[in-house]
Amino acid sequence: MQVLPTHIGANTKECPPLGKLIVLTGPSGVGKGTLMNAILQRYPELHYSVSATTRSPRPGEVNGKNYHFITRSEFEKLVTQGEFLEWAEFAGNFYGTPREAVLNHIQSGKLVVLEIELEGARQIRHTFPSALSIFILPPSFAELEKRIRGRGQDTEEAISRRLNRAEEEIAAADEFNLQIINGDFEEALQEIEKAIFH
Ligand code: 5GP
């Protein structure tokens, strides 16, 4: 059972002002991380939820900033302890959103942003129907492949797993409140800003 009521964003006598939960989802490589970083730079009052993952850090990634990098057994323990708001397996690794930090920030009236894959985004939609869910689409599949390969940080096997998964994810785009194409970065950014703040 969820601790939070389903009316995040409501501001009634019985409840303290609640924040809003924003979910950015879309296929790996679509640029949702870059869009989110740009949003966070412009609006430092937003709280970004740092996920836990069993994936190894990529060059330049910092533990506690990009992710909490943990082992599989640590992850499994946290799952059994109910410490994740949602979690999913993606391309052979586990990813999860720490429950307590997110709920505390929402309760204190903050806007909280999650940047997560499809299964997790579905779980959040189910648990928090009032969350704003935004699906980021690539301008084309070929462009997505180019971006994933261009990162040059994943093995060929990881790339093909991500591409297969991307097809499934894109097919689910209209399950979410809003679909935004990340073709022109600045335009996509403005659309996200509009959705969050207007
Ligand atoms: P990457 O390994 O490229 O950092 O992330 C792979 C995918 O996992 C991305 O689509 C990313 O949005 C997603 N992801 C990151 N953190 C979480 C999380 O906490 N939960 C879920 N379900 N997906 C996540």
Side-chain angles (χ1 to χ4, degrees):
M1 259 294 142
Q2 268 309 318
V3 185
L4 264 187
T6 52
H7 54 271
I8 296 170
N11 190 355
T12 67
K13 262 193 174 163
E14 300 79 48
C15 305
L18 293 174
K20 238 204 283 187
L21 191 57
I22 297 144
V23 180
L24 271 195
T25 191
S28 166
V30 78
K32 57 189 189 294
T34 317
L35 284 165
M36 198 201 52
N37 285 334
I39 296 274
L40 291 175
Q41 275 202 337
R42 285 188 196 182
Y43 303 96
E45 68 270 28
L46 295 181
H47 172 76
Y48 168 62
S49 163
V50 179
S51 299
T53 184
T54 61
R55 163 166 85 57
S56 311
R58 295 188 180 122
E61 284 185 329
V62 177
N63 192 24
K65 182 167 178 269
N66 302 94
Y67 282 106
H68 302 290
F69 294 100
I70 62 176
T71 63
R72 253 171 195 258
S73 64
E74 285 169 332
F75 195 98
E76 281 159 11
K77 196 168 159 206
L78 292 172
V79 169
T80 35
Q81 290 171 342
E83 295 287 346
F84 290 123
L85 209 52
E86 62 71 37
W87 65 273
E89 187 171 3
F90 181 90
N93 295 299
F94 292 114
Y95 296 81
T97 301
R99 171 186 294 274
E100 206 180 315
V102 169
L103 296 188
N104 286 343
H105 279 97
I106 290 176
Q107 293 289 18
S108 65
K110 285 234 161 145
L111 282 170
V112 178
V113 190
L114 310 182
E115 189 251 282
I116 60 179
E117 55 68 69
L118 176 65
E119 286 310 324
R122 281 176 167 152
Q123 289 172 47
I124 295 290
R125 282 199 61 230
H126 181 75
T127 323
F128 302 110
S130 62
L132 169 66
S133 58
I134 304 176
F135 195 99
I136 310 294
L137 285 159
S140 68
F141 197 78
E143 176 61 28
L144 183 70
E145 178 165 1
K146 205 169 107 192
R147 289 181 192 174
I148 292 180
R149 290 190 180 282
R151 278 204 300 219
Q153 290 170 326
D154 295 308
T155 61
E156 190 54 40
E157 195 204 337
I159 290 171
S160 70
R161 275 199 298 222
R162 277 162 195 263
L163 286 172
N164 288 338
R165 179 70 176 254
E167 277 192 87
E168 275 174 50
E169 298 214 359
I170 290 170
D174 60 6
E175 291 176 23
F176 297 92
N177 297 137
L178 202 64
Q179 296 75 35
I180 292 176
I181 297 172
N182 185 18
D184 181 291
F185 184 79
E186 202 46 47
E187 265 178 34
L189 201 56
Q190 278 174 22
E191 283 190 63
I192 296 174
E193 282 178 358
K194 211 165 84 190
I196 296 178
F197 296 107
H198 297 259

